Amino acid sequence: MAIEVKIPTILRTYTAGAKAVDGSGETLSALIDDLDASHPGIKGRLITDDGGLHRFVNVYVNDEDVRFTGSLDTALKDGDAVTILPAVAGG
Amino acid sequence: MLSIDRDTRDAILAHARREHPDEACGVVAGAEGSDRPARLLPMRNAARSPTFYEFDSADLLQLYQEMAAKDEEPVVIYHSHTATEAYPSRTDVTYASEPNAHYVLVSTRAADVDEFRSFRIVDGVVTEEPVEVVESYA
């Protein structure tokens, strides 16, 4: 099971500069755990201490924002494409 | 230092005036690694607020996909303040997550004075930088 994950510039320090990496998992939550095993520390940039998705990042599965598809419980299958982007926002 | 052409600078200022009293926001994309802001992309402020701005999540994805397809990156990320100076707010610093981008702040608080400043925001540290306005890139 391979899921391509696009990594934003700010998180490429965890992926040795790679713009995309492969991971696996049946849910987004499992995928992030898998990513963290290969790229230690990346999970902490995506998930808050309370276990929710960080508000500073947007995660898309096949171009759909996961906030509308079950967040970390979003189901994944082989061949899905995941994109992580930092939110662009401010005051 | 941010080097930017006059037309793009003026278009950012005009965008900010148009959106006033709400905050305006957008990106100037450029070839990856070039540090040259080449393509102005005004964005919708999904928050439609005088004190907050946010790219819509679908717009954000489309923007980054388009830039990736053209081997571009966000060279400038800009937004306006409508009642305060053109300096990054605490919220701006919290959200800033493009270490290579020039964060441009514009203020529309005075109708007759243009404020246009540029900053690096890396790991929560704000560093102002000079802005060089060029007529055009040869």
Side-chain angles (χ1 to χ4, degrees):
Chain A
M1 171 144 168
I3 293 163
E4 190 198 46
V5 185
K6 293 213 172 78
I7 306 291
T9 308
I10 190 143
L11 297 183
R12 289 178 197 157
T13 48
Y14 298 97
T15 61
K19 291 182 177 182
V21 297
D22 281 338
S24 64
E26 292 187 351
T27 61
L28 180 58
S29 181
L31 173 71
I32 291 173
D33 284 337
D34 180 61
L35 286 182
D36 199 64
S38 331
H39 312 285
I42 200 166
K43 180 177 178 178
R45 305 293 297 270
L46 302 173
I47 310 276
T48 64
D49 292 343
D50 299 334
L53 198 56
H54 224 294
R55 70 191 161 101
F56 304 118
V57 292
N58 290 4
V59 180
Y60 307 84
V61 175
N62 303 330
D63 296 358
E64 192 84 42
D65 187 330
V66 299
R67 287 195 176 87
F68 307 115
T69 61
S71 195
L72 289 167
D73 296 329
T74 301
L76 298 174
K77 58 182 188 311
D78 197 25
D80 279 347
V82 172
T83 302
I84 301 170
L85 288 177
V88 180
Chain B
M1 182 181 71
L2 169 66
S3 179
I4 190 167
D5 68 276
R6 186 174 302 280
D7 285 353
T8 304
R9 196 270 315 255
D10 290 351
I12 290 172
L13 289 167
H15 181 206
R17 294 287 179 198
R18 273 199 312 278
E19 296 300 319
H20 187 88
D22 287 342
E23 293 193 5
C25 56
V27 160
V28 190
E32 240 176 77
S34 70
D35 203 34
R36 178 173 293 189
R39 202 162 64 89
L40 177 68
L41 298 159
M43 300 293 290
R44 233 155 28 93
N45 177 2
R48 292 180 64 94
S49 159
T51 56
F52 193 72
Y53 80 96
E54 182 166 32
F55 290 9
D56 171 76
S57 123
D59 293 351
L60 178 76
L61 178 66
Q62 197 183 14
L63 170 72
Y64 272 79
Q65 286 175 336
E66 190 186 303
M67 288 192 295
K70 294 173 182 280
D71 292 322
E72 289 176 337
E73 61 185 350
V75 177
V76 167
I77 297 174
Y78 71 88
H79 77 284
S80 60
H81 285 171
T82 56
T84 56
E85 70 171 324
Y87 190 89
S89 65
R90 247 181 309 173
T91 315
D92 295 335
V93 176
T94 307
Y95 272 97
S97 41
E98 284 291 357
N100 301 330
H102 302 268
Y103 283 89
V104 164
L105 273 286
V106 166
S107 178
T108 54
R109 61 181 165 168
D112 52 351
V113 182
D114 287 331
E115 294 179 53
F116 185 104
R117 296 164 70 180
S118 184
F119 306 85
R120 296 288 190 171
I121 309 176
V122 179
D123 294 333
V125 178
V126 177
T127 310
E128 184 159 15
E129 60 182 2
V131 176
E132 177 194 54
V133 178
V134 299
E135 290 309 319
S136 67
Y137 293 107

